[in-house]
Amino acid sequence: MPESDGTVTVRTLAAMKKRGERITMLTAYDFPTAQLLDRAGIDCLLVGDSLGMVVQGHKTTVPVTLEQMIYHGEMVVRGSQRSMVIVDLPFPVGQVSVPHTLESAARIMKETQCHAVKMEGGHQQSDAIRAMVDAGIPTIAHIGLRPQSVHALGGYRVQKDADRLMRDALAAQGAGAFAVLIECVPAELAREVTEKLSVPTIGIGAGAACDGQVLVTNDMLGWNSGYIPKFVRQFADLKTMAADAVVTYRDRVRDGNFPGPKETF
Ligand code: KIV
């Protein structure tokens, strides 16, 4: 349930966990998508650096810059009235130094006017999380599979180190993170973390026991190209619909049917 003015805040999410209400999160990278998700009642819009892959066509999220995150973050904030907007810190922000992380996160908050940031990391990044939280920047920690570390991990693999997952989750919560996003871990591990933490967990490829779920919107709408992970459920097939429409447009232009009298001044 949102606040009395309808907006979703960190307090809303904490209360939802207490009440056992599932939190919904989807990615958004532009104004129309943000409007669509906001009006559909999605609690949190994540301006994920996955935009590097699904929008820019890169193989990983690594090339995405701070300026690009700000550019997309601004659009999403403009399209959202009720949902909480969270913007990703791109690689290598969060991994270099605490002052650099803090400055970058502050730029994102100030220039996009989003409500929170997300950072990949847990135990090793707990000083940076604490510094952001102390500066009034709500922070969600992304643990388990961290896509920015794909080269170090040797690929996008299920993360099975239970001790590391729990240590990262507890460190992030201890540093003040308002939530923990868990990617691509066995469902049982995510359940243990969810039961142990007092802050909400948001899962992606982490089973049904998390306090909330997130997906890349392009994946769940079938508006994507390339590899679709096992954890994605496709709720629509927009790519096929759009391809059919484009082919029909092409044919109607070629056969002189478009524009017709109704589309002509
Ligand atoms: O960048 C992103 O969109 C993400 C999600 C996959 C959780 O981090």
Side-chain angles (χ1 to χ4, degrees):
M1 282 293 290
E3 300 286 313
S4 55
D5 68 355
T7 58
V8 177
T9 70
V10 292
R11 285 181 349 138
T12 318
L13 303 183
M16 286 175 81
K17 170 154 182 146
K18 275 211 183 108
R19 289 195 295 263
E21 276 172 46
R22 295 287 171 90
I23 298 164
T24 54
M25 182 186 289
L26 282 172
T27 63
Y29 315 117
D30 59 34
F31 178 80
T33 309
Q35 271 196 329
L36 181 86
L37 305 184
D38 182 77
R39 289 173 186 173
I42 297 299
D43 298 310
C44 304
L45 309 190
L46 173 63
V47 188
D49 61 358
S50 53
L51 69 87
M53 298 167 80
V54 295
V55 176
Q56 298 175 336
H58 291 298
K59 285 200 164 56
T60 73
T61 59
V62 171
V64 178
T65 67
L66 182 62
E67 282 67 29
Q68 290 165 351
M69 292 310 302
I70 290 171
Y71 174 73
H72 287 274
E74 283 173 338
M75 292 186 246
V76 172
V77 168
R78 280 199 289 274
S80 164
Q81 293 189 336
R82 168 195 173 276
S83 310
M84 179 176 188
V85 179
I86 303 167
V87 178
D88 248 343
L89 300 188
F91 178 82
V93 175
Q95 319 301 326
V96 176
S97 71
V98 172
H100 179 63
T101 306
L102 190 52
E103 262 173 45
S104 306
R107 254 195 83 188
I108 288 177
M109 295 290 288
K110 209 173 179 68
E111 295 181 32
T112 69
Q113 299 192 54
C114 70
H115 310 109
V117 298
K118 174 166 82 60
M119 188 176 94
E120 290 189 15
H123 175 67
Q124 281 182 333
Q125 289 72 25
S126 53
D127 287 345
I129 296 171
R130 189 171 291 106
M132 289 191 286
V133 173
D134 286 349
I137 302 174
T139 304
I140 175 168
H142 183 152
I143 65 171
L145 173 62
R146 303 179 198 172
Q148 293 174 7
S149 303
V150 60
H151 298 303
L153 296 171
Y156 298 104
R157 301 165 184 287
V158 179
Q159 302 299 299
K160 297 180 180 159
D161 185 338
D163 292 340
R164 178 169 187 191
L165 189 75
M166 188 60 86
R167 192 188 53 186
D168 281 342
L170 289 172
Q173 173 176 275
F178 71 88
V180 173
L181 189 149
I182 307 175
E183 178 162 355
C184 223
V185 306
E188 185 52 24
L189 298 189
R191 189 187 59 75
E192 283 168 21
V193 169
T194 299
E195 285 174 1
K196 185 92 177 170
L197 293 192
S198 55
V199 299
T201 60
I202 311 291
I204 176 164
C210 293
D211 299 304
Q213 297 291 327
V214 60
L215 281 177
V216 170
T217 298
N218 299 52
D219 290 345
M220 56 82 73
L221 290 181
W223 184 244
N224 47 20
S225 48
Y227 172 71
I228 304 297
K230 170 183 158 73
F231 57 72
V232 171
R233 185 184 297 177
Q234 216 171 290
F235 290 83
D237 187 1
L238 292 195
K239 205 171 165 190
T240 303
M241 284 176 68
D244 288 348
V246 170
V247 166
T248 305
Y249 164 79
R250 183 199 65 191
D251 292 346
R252 294 300 78 84
V253 170
R254 285 183 181 165
D255 67 15
N257 170 279
F258 178 81
K262 273 206 302 202
E263 294 111 355
T264 304
F265 297 107

mmCIF file with all atom_site columns, all heavy atoms in Angstrom, residues 27 29 46 48-50 88 118 142 181 183 204 214 216, ligand 1:
data_model
loop_
_atom_site.group_PDB
_atom_site.id
_atom_site.type_symbol
_atom_site.label_atom_id
_atom_site.label_alt_id
_atom_site.label_comp_id
_atom_site.label_asym_id
_atom_site.label_entity_id
_atom_site.label_seq_id
_atom_site.pdbx_PDB_ins_code
_atom_site.Cartn_x
_atom_site.Cartn_y
_atom_site.Cartn_z
_atom_site.occupancy
_atom_site.B_iso_or_equiv
_atom_site.pdbx_formal_charge
_atom_site.auth_seq_id
_atom_site.auth_comp_id
_atom_site.auth_asym_id
_atom_site.auth_atom_id
_atom_site.pdbx_PDB_model_num
ATOM   1   N N   . THR A 1 27  ? 11.779 -2.741  -14.645 1.00 0.00 ? 27  THR A N   1
ATOM   2   C CA  . THR A 1 27  ? 12.710 -1.732  -15.158 1.00 0.00 ? 27  THR A CA  1
ATOM   3   C C   . THR A 1 27  ? 11.958 -0.764  -16.080 1.00 0.00 ? 27  THR A C   1
ATOM   4   O O   . THR A 1 27  ? 10.972 -1.125  -16.730 1.00 0.00 ? 27  THR A O   1
ATOM   5   C CB  . THR A 1 27  ? 13.862 -2.362  -15.963 1.00 0.00 ? 27  THR A CB  1
ATOM   6   O OG1 . THR A 1 27  ? 13.331 -3.027  -17.109 1.00 0.00 ? 27  THR A OG1 1
ATOM   7   C CG2 . THR A 1 27  ? 14.655 -3.326  -15.115 1.00 0.00 ? 27  THR A CG2 1
ATOM   8   N N   . TYR A 1 29  ? 13.172 2.685   -18.761 1.00 0.00 ? 29  TYR A N   1
ATOM   9   C CA  . TYR A 1 29  ? 14.306 3.482   -19.249 1.00 0.00 ? 29  TYR A CA  1
ATOM   10  C C   . TYR A 1 29  ? 13.855 4.763   -19.939 1.00 0.00 ? 29  TYR A C   1
ATOM   11  O O   . TYR A 1 29  ? 14.688 5.539   -20.384 1.00 0.00 ? 29  TYR A O   1
ATOM   12  C CB  . TYR A 1 29  ? 15.138 2.660   -20.257 1.00 0.00 ? 29  TYR A CB  1
ATOM   13  C CG  . TYR A 1 29  ? 15.406 1.234   -19.816 1.00 0.00 ? 29  TYR A CG  1
ATOM   14  C CD1 . TYR A 1 29  ? 14.915 0.153   -20.539 1.00 0.00 ? 29  TYR A CD1 1
ATOM   15  C CD2 . TYR A 1 29  ? 16.144 0.973   -18.664 1.00 0.00 ? 29  TYR A CD2 1
ATOM   16  C CE1 . TYR A 1 29  ? 15.154 -1.153  -20.138 1.00 0.00 ? 29  TYR A CE1 1
ATOM   17  C CE2 . TYR A 1 29  ? 16.375 -0.333  -18.253 1.00 0.00 ? 29  TYR A CE2 1
ATOM   18  C CZ  . TYR A 1 29  ? 15.874 -1.389  -18.996 1.00 0.00 ? 29  TYR A CZ  1
ATOM   19  O OH  . TYR A 1 29  ? 16.107 -2.676  -18.583 1.00 0.00 ? 29  TYR A OH  1
ATOM   20  N N   . LEU A 1 46  ? 12.698 0.623   -11.772 1.00 0.00 ? 46  LEU A N   1
ATOM   21  C CA  . LEU A 1 46  ? 14.158 0.553   -11.699 1.00 0.00 ? 46  LEU A CA  1
ATOM   22  C C   . LEU A 1 46  ? 14.752 1.004   -13.028 1.00 0.00 ? 46  LEU A C   1
ATOM   23  O O   . LEU A 1 46  ? 14.528 0.363   -14.061 1.00 0.00 ? 46  LEU A O   1
ATOM   24  C CB  . LEU A 1 46  ? 14.603 -0.890  -11.395 1.00 0.00 ? 46  LEU A CB  1
ATOM   25  C CG  . LEU A 1 46  ? 16.110 -1.132  -11.451 1.00 0.00 ? 46  LEU A CG  1
ATOM   26  C CD1 . LEU A 1 46  ? 16.841 -0.318  -10.389 1.00 0.00 ? 46  LEU A CD1 1
ATOM   27  C CD2 . LEU A 1 46  ? 16.431 -2.617  -11.301 1.00 0.00 ? 46  LEU A CD2 1
ATOM   28  N N   . GLY A 1 48  ? 17.496 0.505   -14.580 1.00 0.00 ? 48  GLY A N   1
ATOM   29  C CA  . GLY A 1 48  ? 18.619 -0.420  -14.432 1.00 0.00 ? 48  GLY A CA  1
ATOM   30  C C   . GLY A 1 48  ? 19.674 -0.158  -15.495 1.00 0.00 ? 48  GLY A C   1
ATOM   31  O O   . GLY A 1 48  ? 19.366 0.288   -16.605 1.00 0.00 ? 48  GLY A O   1
ATOM   32  N N   . ASP A 1 49  ? 20.918 -0.489  -15.141 1.00 0.00 ? 49  ASP A N   1
ATOM   33  C CA  . ASP A 1 49  ? 21.953 -0.362  -16.174 1.00 0.00 ? 49  ASP A CA  1
ATOM   34  C C   . ASP A 1 49  ? 21.828 -1.501  -17.198 1.00 0.00 ? 49  ASP A C   1
ATOM   35  O O   . ASP A 1 49  ? 22.584 -1.552  -18.170 1.00 0.00 ? 49  ASP A O   1
ATOM   36  C CB  . ASP A 1 49  ? 23.358 -0.280  -15.568 1.00 0.00 ? 49  ASP A CB  1
ATOM   37  C CG  . ASP A 1 49  ? 23.738 -1.512  -14.769 1.00 0.00 ? 49  ASP A CG  1
ATOM   38  O OD1 . ASP A 1 49  ? 22.908 -2.438  -14.640 1.00 0.00 ? 49  ASP A OD1 1
ATOM   39  O OD2 . ASP A 1 49  ? 24.886 -1.555  -14.271 1.00 0.00 ? 49  ASP A OD2 1
ATOM   40  N N   . SER A 1 50  ? 20.826 -2.379  -17.012 1.00 0.00 ? 50  SER A N   1
ATOM   41  C CA  . SER A 1 50  ? 20.471 -3.336  -18.069 1.00 0.00 ? 50  SER A CA  1
ATOM   42  C C   . SER A 1 50  ? 20.125 -2.605  -19.357 1.00 0.00 ? 50  SER A C   1
ATOM   43  O O   . SER A 1 50  ? 20.109 -3.207  -20.428 1.00 0.00 ? 50  SER A O   1
ATOM   44  C CB  . SER A 1 50  ? 19.285 -4.206  -17.626 1.00 0.00 ? 50  SER A CB  1
ATOM   45  O OG  . SER A 1 50  ? 18.211 -3.406  -17.188 1.00 0.00 ? 50  SER A OG  1
ATOM   46  N N   . ASP A 1 88  ? 20.172 2.976   -11.056 1.00 0.00 ? 88  ASP A N   1
ATOM   47  C CA  . ASP A 1 88  ? 21.396 2.185   -10.843 1.00 0.00 ? 88  ASP A CA  1
ATOM   48  C C   . ASP A 1 88  ? 22.651 3.048   -10.855 1.00 0.00 ? 88  ASP A C   1
ATOM   49  O O   . ASP A 1 88  ? 22.768 3.955   -11.674 1.00 0.00 ? 88  ASP A O   1
ATOM   50  C CB  . ASP A 1 88  ? 21.548 1.190   -12.000 1.00 0.00 ? 88  ASP A CB  1
ATOM   51  C CG  . ASP A 1 88  ? 21.362 -0.246  -11.559 1.00 0.00 ? 88  ASP A CG  1
ATOM   52  O OD1 . ASP A 1 88  ? 21.437 -0.525  -10.354 1.00 0.00 ? 88  ASP A OD1 1
ATOM   53  O OD2 . ASP A 1 88  ? 21.145 -1.091  -12.446 1.00 0.00 ? 88  ASP A OD2 1
ATOM   54  N N   . LYS A 1 118 ? 20.477 2.235   -6.634  1.00 0.00 ? 118 LYS A N   1
ATOM   55  C CA  . LYS A 1 118 ? 20.839 0.823   -6.423  1.00 0.00 ? 118 LYS A CA  1
ATOM   56  C C   . LYS A 1 118 ? 22.312 0.655   -6.705  1.00 0.00 ? 118 LYS A C   1
ATOM   57  O O   . LYS A 1 118 ? 22.838 1.252   -7.644  1.00 0.00 ? 118 LYS A O   1
ATOM   58  C CB  . LYS A 1 118 ? 20.021 -0.098  -7.337  1.00 0.00 ? 118 LYS A CB  1
ATOM   59  C CG  . LYS A 1 118 ? 20.464 -1.560  -7.258  1.00 0.00 ? 118 LYS A CG  1
ATOM   60  C CD  . LYS A 1 118 ? 19.451 -2.515  -7.879  1.00 0.00 ? 118 LYS A CD  1
ATOM   61  C CE  . LYS A 1 118 ? 19.527 -2.638  -9.360  1.00 0.00 ? 118 LYS A CE  1
ATOM   62  N NZ  . LYS A 1 118 ? 20.815 -3.125  -9.901  1.00 0.00 ? 118 LYS A NZ  1
ATOM   63  N N   . HIS A 1 142 ? 22.458 -4.661  -4.406  1.00 0.00 ? 142 HIS A N   1
ATOM   64  C CA  . HIS A 1 142 ? 22.211 -5.752  -5.374  1.00 0.00 ? 142 HIS A CA  1
ATOM   65  C C   . HIS A 1 142 ? 23.245 -6.850  -5.115  1.00 0.00 ? 142 HIS A C   1
ATOM   66  O O   . HIS A 1 142 ? 24.439 -6.634  -5.336  1.00 0.00 ? 142 HIS A O   1
ATOM   67  C CB  . HIS A 1 142 ? 22.348 -5.153  -6.783  1.00 0.00 ? 142 HIS A CB  1
ATOM   68  C CG  . HIS A 1 142 ? 22.064 -6.091  -7.906  1.00 0.00 ? 142 HIS A CG  1
ATOM   69  N ND1 . HIS A 1 142 ? 21.593 -5.654  -9.132  1.00 0.00 ? 142 HIS A ND1 1
ATOM   70  C CD2 . HIS A 1 142 ? 22.196 -7.436  -8.036  1.00 0.00 ? 142 HIS A CD2 1
ATOM   71  C CE1 . HIS A 1 142 ? 21.449 -6.679  -9.949  1.00 0.00 ? 142 HIS A CE1 1
ATOM   72  N NE2 . HIS A 1 142 ? 21.812 -7.777  -9.311  1.00 0.00 ? 142 HIS A NE2 1
ATOM   73  N N   . LEU A 1 181 ? 18.342 -6.425  -3.249  1.00 0.00 ? 181 LEU A N   1
ATOM   74  C CA  . LEU A 1 181 ? 17.905 -7.107  -4.480  1.00 0.00 ? 181 LEU A CA  1
ATOM   75  C C   . LEU A 1 181 ? 18.798 -8.336  -4.656  1.00 0.00 ? 181 LEU A C   1
ATOM   76  O O   . LEU A 1 181 ? 20.023 -8.232  -4.616  1.00 0.00 ? 181 LEU A O   1
ATOM   77  C CB  . LEU A 1 181 ? 18.021 -6.148  -5.666  1.00 0.00 ? 181 LEU A CB  1
ATOM   78  C CG  . LEU A 1 181 ? 17.405 -6.616  -6.989  1.00 0.00 ? 181 LEU A CG  1
ATOM   79  C CD1 . LEU A 1 181 ? 16.905 -5.414  -7.788  1.00 0.00 ? 181 LEU A CD1 1
ATOM   80  C CD2 . LEU A 1 181 ? 18.390 -7.419  -7.822  1.00 0.00 ? 181 LEU A CD2 1
ATOM   81  N N   . GLU A 1 183 ? 19.823 -11.477 -7.051  1.00 0.00 ? 183 GLU A N   1
ATOM   82  C CA  . GLU A 1 183 ? 19.707 -11.969 -8.432  1.00 0.00 ? 183 GLU A CA  1
ATOM   83  C C   . GLU A 1 183 ? 20.307 -13.357 -8.576  1.00 0.00 ? 183 GLU A C   1
ATOM   84  O O   . GLU A 1 183 ? 21.445 -13.616 -8.149  1.00 0.00 ? 183 GLU A O   1
ATOM   85  C CB  . GLU A 1 183 ? 20.412 -10.999 -9.409  1.00 0.00 ? 183 GLU A CB  1
ATOM   86  C CG  . GLU A 1 183 ? 20.363 -11.508 -10.849 1.00 0.00 ? 183 GLU A CG  1
ATOM   87  C CD  . GLU A 1 183 ? 20.626 -10.464 -11.910 1.00 0.00 ? 183 GLU A CD  1
ATOM   88  O OE1 . GLU A 1 183 ? 20.770 -9.273  -11.570 1.00 0.00 ? 183 GLU A OE1 1
ATOM   89  O OE2 . GLU A 1 183 ? 20.683 -10.852 -13.090 1.00 0.00 ? 183 GLU A OE2 1
ATOM   90  N N   . ILE A 1 204 ? 15.141 -11.605 -8.388  1.00 0.00 ? 204 ILE A N   1
ATOM   91  C CA  . ILE A 1 204 ? 15.076 -11.837 -9.840  1.00 0.00 ? 204 ILE A CA  1
ATOM   92  C C   . ILE A 1 204 ? 15.830 -13.141 -10.070 1.00 0.00 ? 204 ILE A C   1
ATOM   93  O O   . ILE A 1 204 ? 17.028 -13.240 -9.793  1.00 0.00 ? 204 ILE A O   1
ATOM   94  C CB  . ILE A 1 204 ? 15.632 -10.657 -10.667 1.00 0.00 ? 204 ILE A CB  1
ATOM   95  C CG1 . ILE A 1 204 ? 15.630 -10.990 -12.170 1.00 0.00 ? 204 ILE A CG1 1
ATOM   96  C CG2 . ILE A 1 204 ? 17.010 -10.179 -10.202 1.00 0.00 ? 204 ILE A CG2 1
ATOM   97  C CD1 . ILE A 1 204 ? 15.800 -9.775  -13.083 1.00 0.00 ? 204 ILE A CD1 1
ATOM   98  N N   . VAL A 1 214 ? 11.338 -8.504  -9.348  1.00 0.00 ? 214 VAL A N   1
ATOM   99  C CA  . VAL A 1 214 ? 11.673 -7.559  -10.406 1.00 0.00 ? 214 VAL A CA  1
ATOM   100 C C   . VAL A 1 214 ? 11.996 -8.334  -11.676 1.00 0.00 ? 214 VAL A C   1
ATOM   101 O O   . VAL A 1 214 ? 12.523 -9.452  -11.596 1.00 0.00 ? 214 VAL A O   1
ATOM   102 C CB  . VAL A 1 214 ? 12.861 -6.642  -10.004 1.00 0.00 ? 214 VAL A CB  1
ATOM   103 C CG1 . VAL A 1 214 ? 14.117 -7.420  -9.698  1.00 0.00 ? 214 VAL A CG1 1
ATOM   104 C CG2 . VAL A 1 214 ? 13.150 -5.593  -11.091 1.00 0.00 ? 214 VAL A CG2 1
ATOM   105 N N   . VAL A 1 216 ? 13.234 -7.433  -16.013 1.00 0.00 ? 216 VAL A N   1
ATOM   106 C CA  . VAL A 1 216 ? 13.505 -6.451  -17.062 1.00 0.00 ? 216 VAL A CA  1
ATOM   107 C C   . VAL A 1 216 ? 12.232 -6.377  -17.922 1.00 0.00 ? 216 VAL A C   1
ATOM   108 O O   . VAL A 1 216 ? 11.773 -7.393  -18.458 1.00 0.00 ? 216 VAL A O   1
ATOM   109 C CB  . VAL A 1 216 ? 14.732 -6.874  -17.892 1.00 0.00 ? 216 VAL A CB  1
ATOM   110 C CG1 . VAL A 1 216 ? 14.875 -6.003  -19.139 1.00 0.00 ? 216 VAL A CG1 1
ATOM   111 C CG2 . VAL A 1 216 ? 16.001 -6.798  -17.031 1.00 0.00 ? 216 VAL A CG2 1
HETATM 112 O O1  . KIV B 2 .   ? 20.030 -3.389  -14.304 1.00 0.00 ? 1   KIV B O1  1
HETATM 113 C C1  . KIV B 2 .   ? 18.976 -3.980  -14.039 1.00 0.00 ? 1   KIV B C1  1
HETATM 114 O O2  . KIV B 2 .   ? 17.960 -3.871  -14.738 1.00 0.00 ? 1   KIV B O2  1
HETATM 115 C C2  . KIV B 2 .   ? 18.957 -4.830  -12.878 1.00 0.00 ? 1   KIV B C2  1
HETATM 116 C C3  . KIV B 2 .   ? 17.863 -5.849  -12.803 1.00 0.00 ? 1   KIV B C3  1
HETATM 117 C C4  . KIV B 2 .   ? 18.217 -6.999  -13.650 1.00 0.00 ? 1   KIV B C4  1
HETATM 118 C C5  . KIV B 2 .   ? 17.573 -6.225  -11.424 1.00 0.00 ? 1   KIV B C5  1
HETATM 119 O O3  . KIV B 2 .   ? 19.804 -4.754  -12.060 1.00 0.00 ? 1   KIV B O3  1
#
